C-alpha cells in the first residue's frame, strides 16, 4: 500500500464520518484539498480539524499554506496554520489542528474560515504568482449535553397511607454511561422498594423510569405543610466526564378527610381502609352502622380539636 493511500486513510479516521463534514476543492495546477471538521461542537470542549492536500498536477508546488480564522468563540489550542514547504508532483500531505470552544460561546451557527495559498513551480523550477483561495466552514455550537428529570407524584398525601413516586430520566443529546438514580425522602417518610437504581447505559432519547411507593407516618396531622423529596442522577457523558444533576420535588402533606380515594383504587372511610382488591360484595356487606359510627367518631374528634385550638 502506497504512502499516499496510508495518509488518506489516516486523515479519514481522525474524525468519525457520521459526525463530520468534509469540504473538497480542486484548484488550478491539479491541487486537490480536503478539509474535515465535526458538523457540531460542544461549548467548553476541544475539537479537531484535519487537512489533506494532494498534488495531482505535473509540476511541484511550494509554500503551501492553510490559515484558519475562527470567530471569537473558537480559539486555536496551539497554532492556527499549517505550512508545507514543498509538495512534489504526485505527492500529498495531511495534518491536524486542535481548536477549543470557549466556555462563554453562544450556541448556534459559527464560522471557521480558511485562507489557502500555494506557489506553482513552472517546469518544477520557476515560481509563479501565488494561487489563493478563501473557504468558509460552518460549525454548529451546542450546549453541554444534559438530561431531563421528570417526576410523577400525587398532588397531596396524608398520614398512614401509600402513594406512588415515579421518576423518568431522558438524555436528549447523547448516550450516557454508569447512571445512578437516587431518591432521597425526608427523615419521617419511608419508601417501599429501592431508593437507588443503577443502569450501565441509557441511550439518547430513550426514557428510563422507576416507580417506588411512599409510606407516610401513621400519626395524624392537623395542618398541611410541604415535604421535599430530592432526586439525584449521576452519570458519565459521551466524553467520559462524570456529571451530576438533581431535582427537588415538594409534595403537600395534609390532614386526611373523612373520605379519601387512593391512587391504586382503594379508599378510606374515616379510619377504615378498603383495599382495591376487596370485592363489591364485601363493601356492600359492611354494616351501615359501622360507617355511621365512624362518621360520628370523626365528627367528635374534629370538635375536640377545635376546642383545643380555642
Amino acid at each position: 500500500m502506497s504512502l499516499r493511500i496510508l495518509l488518506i486513510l489516516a486523515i479519514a479516521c481522525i474524525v468519525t464520518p457520521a459526525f463530520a463534514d468534509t469540504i473538497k476543492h480542486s484548484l488550478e495546477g491539479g491541487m486537490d484539498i480536503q478539509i474535515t471538521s465535526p458538523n457540531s461542537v460542544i461549548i467548553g470542549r476541544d475539537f479537531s480539524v484535519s487537512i489533506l492536500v494532494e498534488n495531482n498536477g505535473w509540476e511541484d508546488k511550494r509554500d503551501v499554506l492553510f490559515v484558519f480564522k475562527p470567530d471569537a468563540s473558537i480559539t486555536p489550542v496551539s497554532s492556527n496554520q499549517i505550512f508545507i514547504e514543498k509538495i512534489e508532483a504526485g505527492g500529498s500531505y495531511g495534518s491536524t489542528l486542535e481548536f477549543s470552544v470557549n466556555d462563554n460561546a453562544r450556541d448556534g451557527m459559527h464560522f471557521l474560515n480558511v485562507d489557502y495559498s500555494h506557489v506553482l513551480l513552472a517546469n518544477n523550477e520557476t515560481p509563479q504568482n501565488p494561487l489563493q483561495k478563501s473557504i468558509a466552514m460552518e460549525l454548529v455550537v451546542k450546549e453541554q449535553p444534559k438530561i431531563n428529570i421528570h417526576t410523577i407524584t400525587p398532588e397531596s398525601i396524608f398520614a398512614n397511607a401509600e402513594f406512588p413516586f415515579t421518576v423518568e430520566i431522558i438524555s436528549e443529546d447523547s448516550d450516557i454511561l454508569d447512571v445512578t438514580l437516587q431518591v432521597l425522602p425526608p427523615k419521617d417518610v419511608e419508601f417501599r422498594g429501592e431508593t437507588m437504581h443503577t443502569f450501565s447505559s441509557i441511550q439518547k432519547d430513550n426514557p428510563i423510569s422507576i416507580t417506588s411507593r411512599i409510606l407516610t407516618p401513621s400519626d395524624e396531622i392537623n395542618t398541611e405543610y410541604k415535604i421535599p423529596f430530592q432526586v439525584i442522577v449521576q452519570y458519565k457523558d459521551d466524553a467520559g466526564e462524570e456529571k451530576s444533576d438533581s431535582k427537588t420535588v415538594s409534595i403537600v402533606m395534609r390532614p386526611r378527610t373523612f373520605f379519601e380515594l387512593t391512587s391504586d383504587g382503594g379508599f378510606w372511610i374515616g379510619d377504615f381502609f378498603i383495599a382495591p382488591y376487596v370485592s363489591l360484595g364485601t363493601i356492600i356487606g359492611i354494616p351501615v352502622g359501622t360507617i355511621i359510627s365512624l362518621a360520628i367518631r370523626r365528627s367528635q374528634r374534629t370538635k375536640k380539636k377545635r376546642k383545643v385550638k380555642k
Side-chain angles (χ1 to χ4, degrees):
M1 186 178 292
S2 68
L3 178 60
R4 175 176 154 182
I5 296 176
L6 287 172
L7 279 171
I8 295 173
L9 291 175
I11 296 300
C13 292
I14 291 174
V15 182
T16 305
F19 304 100
D21 287 331
T22 299
I23 296 175
K24 297 180 180 180
H25 288 278
S26 294
L27 308 177
E28 294 179 9
M31 290 294 281
D32 294 324
I33 61 175
Q34 176 176 305
I35 305 174
T36 302
S37 64
N39 51 27
S40 63
V41 292
I42 305 297
I43 293 175
R45 292 189 186 176
D46 294 349
F47 66 95
S48 302
V49 177
S50 62
I51 65 100
L52 174 65
V53 55
E54 299 177 274
N55 185 0
N56 294 316
W58 296 100
E59 295 167 299
D60 297 346
K61 310 299 187 301
R62 194 180 72 183
D63 300 337
V64 179
L65 179 64
F66 292 83
V67 179
F68 290 81
K69 297 180 177 179
D71 63 24
S73 299
I74 300 172
T75 304
V77 173
S78 56
S79 175
N80 71 322
Q81 65 180 37
I82 297 172
F83 176 75
I84 309 108
E85 185 176 353
K86 184 179 180 180
I87 302 179
E88 297 179 350
S92 61
Y93 183 90
S95 187
T96 302
L97 289 178
E98 297 288 328
F99 296 88
S100 179
V101 184
N102 301 338
D103 291 334
N104 59 355
R106 57 173 178 78
D107 59 337
M109 188 67 69
H110 290 254
F111 292 92
L112 180 60
N113 297 319
V114 184
D115 287 343
Y116 169 83
S117 63
H118 72 248
V119 174
L120 183 145
L121 298 177
N123 299 318
N124 293 332
E125 293 182 0
T126 308
Q128 304 297 300
N129 292 329
L131 183 146
Q132 298 179 335
K133 176 74 175 180
S134 294
I135 303 169
M137 302 173 58
E138 295 181 349
L139 289 174
V140 177
V141 173
K142 295 182 177 181
E143 294 182 352
Q144 286 279 346
K146 61 180 181 180
I147 63 170
N148 287 329
I149 303 173
H150 302 289
T151 55
I152 302 173
T153 62
E155 293 183 1
S156 61
I157 58 178
F158 48 84
N160 195 27
E162 289 189 22
F163 299 91
F165 191 104
T166 300
V167 180
E168 180 184 79
I169 56 177
I170 302 175
S171 177
E172 296 183 342
D173 303 295
S174 63
D175 296 349
I176 54 178
L177 303 172
D178 300 336
V179 185
T180 300
L181 168 60
Q182 187 175 15
V183 181
L184 299 179
K187 293 181 179 180
D188 56 347
V189 175
E190 296 181 1
F191 265 83
R192 185 185 300 280
E194 299 295 331
T195 58
M196 180 179 292
H197 302 263
T198 59
F199 306 90
S200 58
S201 64
I202 297 178
Q203 295 180 344
K204 173 184 175 182
D205 293 329
N206 183 27
I208 297 293
S209 65
I210 59 100
T211 300
S212 298
R213 306 287 297 181
I214 302 172
L215 302 178
T216 55
S218 58
D219 296 337
E220 295 287 346
I221 60 173
N222 298 323
T223 59
E224 69 176 38
Y225 58 93
K226 291 183 178 180
I227 55 176
F229 295 80
Q230 190 174 19
V231 180
I232 301 173
V233 180
Q234 296 175 311
Y235 61 97
K236 289 182 180 178
D237 63 15
D238 58 320
E241 296 181 5
E242 294 186 353
K243 297 290 184 68
S244 178
D245 204 348
S246 63
K247 179 179 182 178
T248 300
V249 182
S250 295
I251 303 178
V252 175
M253 183 77 172
R254 60 172 174 78
R256 186 175 61 201
T257 61
F258 176 72
F259 184 83
E260 291 279 5
L261 289 173
T262 63
S263 58
D264 54 4
F267 56 92
W268 289 85
I269 300 177
D271 296 329
F272 192 83
F273 177 69
I274 300 177
Y277 48 80
V278 175
S279 66
L280 180 61
T282 304
I283 296 174
I284 293 174
I286 298 174
V288 176
T290 302
I291 297 178
I292 293 174
S293 64
L294 284 171
I296 293 172
R297 193 184 313 160
R298 183 79 176 188
S299 176
Q300 291 174 344
R301 188 186 305 153
T302 303
K303 288 180 181 179
K304 288 180 180 179
K305 288 178 181 178
R306 288 176 180 173
K307 288 180 181 180
V308 171
K309 288 181 181 179
K310 291 179 180 180

